Amino acid sequence: MSKLDKDKVLADYTAAYKKAHGKAPSIEAKSGWYSVNGGKNVRLAQLAEEAETLAADQGATPAKKESKPKAPAKSKSKPAAKKATVKSGGKGGLTAKELWQQKLAEKAGNCRLPRGS
């Protein structure tokens, strides 16, 4: 594992962060851990990785903006599965026991009703 230069990593991270977010981050260092804008404490190696990620995101963002406008999404019409509803009272619909019987009948295999039914 190579040794990281603290000053270089912090400068790279600050530049990448400033380019991505438009403002400089506040980095607090405490015994080998670094907190960016009061967030989670991370090690120097993680700051180096985040700097690379921010720089890579900045390189990819203009390419996305210049891409062709997307065509409207095609609607995929799938037949909607009928769902039985459980209604309370005597207004029609299925009881809980009837609903379970229907669900278990649709499944393949040896299925039984829940206990107490």
Side-chain angles (χ1 to χ4, degrees):
M1 180 165 195
S2 64
K3 282 202 150 211
L4 296 172
D5 182 23
K6 179 180 92 170
D7 296 327
K8 184 179 183 312
V9 171
L10 291 176
D12 291 343
Y13 182 80
T14 302
Y17 188 91
K18 194 171 192 177
K19 198 174 205 182
H21 299 286
K23 60 180 181 176
S26 64
I27 301 174
E28 297 174 21
K30 189 171 189 179
S31 65
W33 292 89
Y34 298 88
S35 175
V36 179
N37 293 335
K40 184 178 176 184
N41 291 338
V42 294
R43 289 287 192 180
L44 191 62
Q46 290 171 321
L47 279 180
E49 290 173 6
E50 289 179 22
E52 291 173 7
T53 305
L54 286 173
D57 288 345
Q58 287 301 311
T61 303
K64 288 182 183 176
K65 289 181 182 177
E66 295 173 7
S67 65
K68 296 185 227 176
K70 292 183 179 179
K74 295 179 183 177
S75 62
K76 296 180 181 178
S77 58
K78 293 183 180 178
K82 285 188 175 181
K83 291 188 177 183
T85 58
V86 178
K87 295 182 180 178
S88 62
K91 300 180 183 177
L94 300 173
T95 64
K97 188 174 183 178
E98 292 169 341
L99 178 65
W100 272 105
Q101 286 174 341
Q102 184 180 10
K103 283 185 177 184
L104 294 176
E106 292 172 1
K107 289 186 177 182
N110 188 13
C111 298
R112 299 183 312 169
L113 283 173
R115 282 192 316 189
S117 297

